[in-house]
Amino acid sequence: MIATGVALAAQVSMTFAQDAATKEAPAAEEAKKADVEVTIEGNDTMQFDKKEFTVKEGQTVALTFKNVGKLPKAAMGHNVVIVKPGTVIPSFAMDCMPNAQTTGLPQKQEYKDAVVASTKILGPGESETVTFTAPAPGKYDYICTFTGHFGVMKGVMTVEAK
Ligand SMILES: [Cu+2]
């Protein structure tokens, strides 16, 4: 009787575990739930195909970034990092350089705090979707933080009031 009870308990907890796994929706599902979808491409000539986009405060934004280039990631990796208004871009980008092959994110706390949304550094043919809530109205710069790219790979996200 006791043994049966243990077996039953084990079965129940396994079922719960499966339920939890099913609830973790993949990136594509997340994107569908977003209020707005934005896709940006980066290429081998260090260009974003989209230099500006506009969203509304409070919207859920699914941002997909694709590296459509062919050059190896070590030479021509790209990401998208959106930063708060007032961020000094050259200083911010310099602080990201040590992570140019991985996250592309800054080291210093003040710059970490300035990040609104970011993808990791992507190699050729890779893409990533990140979902975030559009912050307060304003103009938000976005750049690629791969070493030396921020000067040309840049754009502006405009957030309008609701
Ligand atoms: Cu880049």
Side-chain angles (χ1 to χ4, degrees), residues 42-43 46-48 65 76-79 121 144-147 149-150 153:
N43 65 27
M46 288 199 286
Q47 293 296 324
F48 282 141
F65 177 59
M76 191 55 76
H78 301 299
N79 68 350
I121 299 280
C144 168
T145 63
F146 191 88
T147 307
H149 290 194
F150 72 90
M153 295 189 78

